[in-house]
Amino acid sequence: AGLAADNYLPLYMQTTRGRSESFAAFSVLFLTVDWTSAAFAVSRLLEHRWREVDAILFGAALMIPAVALGGIGVALTWPLWIIFGAFLLMGGSIGFVSTAGLTLLQASADPAEMGRVNSAHQFVRTICITYGVAIGGAILLLVVDRQTGDVEAVRDVLGGEEVTASAATLDAVRDGLAWVHVFSGVIAVVCVAAASQLWRNTRARERAAATV
């Protein structure tokens, strides 16, 4: 959900916002920084009465307002600090879910299977990132094609070429990224539903174990 939008934030910065290539590259820093910070925070919170499923549910829920804020900010061309703040929240969401998810799997696995558990987690995470980025790109290019009938300018920018895009193309990139956020929002809602079910199942098992 988060990386589908974050991967095309530099394109939006370089085209619609008219920023330099260096500034556009800098824009991806926000999600990465808070991803790392949240991973550290999870490791500390798990030592203070938090459980892995609590962190997963919290992180999944955090993605919904983050994506909503980012999508609205892009669509309405809000100040950049608001958009960057949204991507900070997205990074925090990913850090909570990913780190707590791995910790939960490790705690539930036989020590002899730890290597497989870690590999499976990494594989699923990589697949999700790949599909998210691919679908996000498809949505953005589809919107640009529908609004302008030409996606070559966008492809050239993605390829690192110096391109002077038309006003219609700039607006289409903005609208395309906004629709990518809609896709991310739908995925975020699904993730919250899955995390909620995991939380309920875990609580039920804990209550059953306590009564035995």
Side-chain angles (χ1 to χ4, degrees):
L3 290 171
D6 182 69
N7 198 69
Y8 301 99
L9 185 60
L11 172 67
Y12 168 76
M13 292 295 166
Q14 198 172 348
T15 55
T16 305
R17 290 304 183 103
R19 302 291 176 165
S20 66
E21 187 174 346
S22 298
F23 185 92
F26 169 77
S27 66
V28 300
L29 179 66
F30 296 92
L31 182 143
T32 305
V33 166
D34 214 34
W35 183 339
T36 305
S37 300
F40 174 77
V42 168
S43 67
R44 304 300 298 176
L45 288 171
L46 293 180
E47 299 175 359
H48 298 85
R49 293 184 174 272
W50 275 56
R51 301 168 305 162
E52 289 86 353
V53 290
D54 298 327
I56 292 171
L57 182 57
F58 174 79
L62 184 62
M63 182 61 75
I64 294 178
V67 168
L69 181 62
I72 295 171
V74 167
L76 301 181
T77 319
W78 282 357
L80 292 182
W81 67 268
I82 298 178
I83 296 175
F84 291 152
F87 279 87
L88 273 173
L89 294 177
M90 290 183 205
S93 170
I94 296 171
F96 269 88
V97 172
S98 180
T99 305
L102 178 58
T103 304
L104 178 62
L105 285 174
Q106 291 174 338
S108 306
D110 190 306
E113 300 293 324
M114 199 62 67
R116 292 184 180 182
V117 167
N118 292 334
S119 297
H121 182 270
Q122 182 64 39
F123 175 75
V124 171
R125 187 169 71 174
T126 301
I127 289 296
C128 289
I129 291 172
T130 301
Y131 276 108
V133 171
I135 295 172
I139 293 172
L140 193 149
L141 291 177
L142 176 64
V143 172
V144 172
D145 182 60
R146 288 291 181 88
Q147 293 188 198
T148 68
D150 182 18
V151 298
E152 292 304 318
V154 175
R155 289 174 177 166
D156 290 341
V157 174
L158 290 173
E161 299 182 21
E162 292 290 338
V163 177
T164 302
S166 66
T169 300
L170 301 182
D171 291 343
V173 170
R174 178 200 64 207
D175 295 343
L177 185 58
W179 277 106
V180 173
H181 279 79
V182 173
F183 160 74
S184 295
V186 172
I187 297 300
V189 170
V190 173
C191 289
V192 169
S196 299
Q197 187 62 44
L198 174 65
W199 189 87
R200 287 193 294 268
N201 290 346
T202 302
R203 288 296 300 271
R205 287 196 297 269
E206 290 175 349
R207 286 195 296 268
T211 58
V212 173

